Amino acid sequence: MQNNLDLIPVIVEAIQNKKGKKITTIDFSSIDGASTGGFIICEGRSTSQVSAIADEVRDFIFRQTGRKPYNYDGYRNSQWIVIDYGDLMVHVFLPEFREFYNLEDLWSDGETTLIPDID
């Protein structure tokens, strides 16, 4: 599996391009048996913005690096879209769904970094 953790700053930039908020990274590289190397989690204010953020992540990564995700899901409702880059998963939520699924607490054994919002 290709190491895609170097995509983190590019993904953060893509999220910020579409005004995504509350960006959090979780690093699982020190956890034995973790199914992925890390998560990037963010949120949009509406289903349209969630879709736009996810589209920008996929398009920006491809334009910058030529890499495509292995898979993605969630566009039907655009309440929670996940983009799979193998050892890096991008989660784009509506705020209420992010709070409900609470991935940051569920995966609290990983190293969490909060990225400041840009306004």
Side-chain angles (χ1 to χ4, degrees):
M1 185 179 303
Q2 183 178 6
N3 183 335
N4 290 315
L5 297 179
D6 58 319
L7 292 178
I8 292 172
V10 184
I11 291 170
V12 168
E13 183 178 350
I15 292 167
Q16 292 172 334
N17 287 347
K18 294 297 179 182
K19 312 286 190 228
K21 300 292 183 192
K22 298 185 179 175
I23 303 169
T24 302
T25 64
I26 306 176
D27 181 357
F28 302 136
S29 61
S30 64
I31 301 172
D32 289 336
S35 60
T36 187
F39 284 170
I40 297 179
I41 304 167
C42 71
E43 59 189 58
R45 294 179 304 277
S46 66
T47 56
S48 297
Q49 187 183 22
V50 167
S51 293
I53 292 167
D55 285 345
E56 178 70 2
V57 168
R58 292 172 43 228
D59 294 344
F60 193 72
I61 294 299
F62 184 72
R63 286 192 314 267
Q64 296 294 315
T65 69
R67 298 182 199 178
K68 293 181 180 181
Y70 293 105
N71 205 352
Y72 49 88
D73 194 23
Y75 276 93
R76 175 174 281 173
N77 296 320
S78 295
Q79 298 165 338
W80 172 13
I81 296 176
V82 61
I83 307 168
D84 178 1
Y85 283 98
D87 51 2
L88 186 61
M89 305 286 283
V90 181
H91 300 270
V92 186
F93 283 100
L94 284 175
E96 59 270 24
F97 287 87
R98 182 178 187 173
E99 185 177 334
F100 179 79
Y101 289 103
N102 203 3
L103 295 183
E104 289 93 337
D105 280 347
L106 183 64
W107 292 96
S108 62
D109 46 350
E111 181 182 335
T112 301
T113 303
L114 305 175
I115 310 294
D117 286 345
I118 58 172
D119 292 313

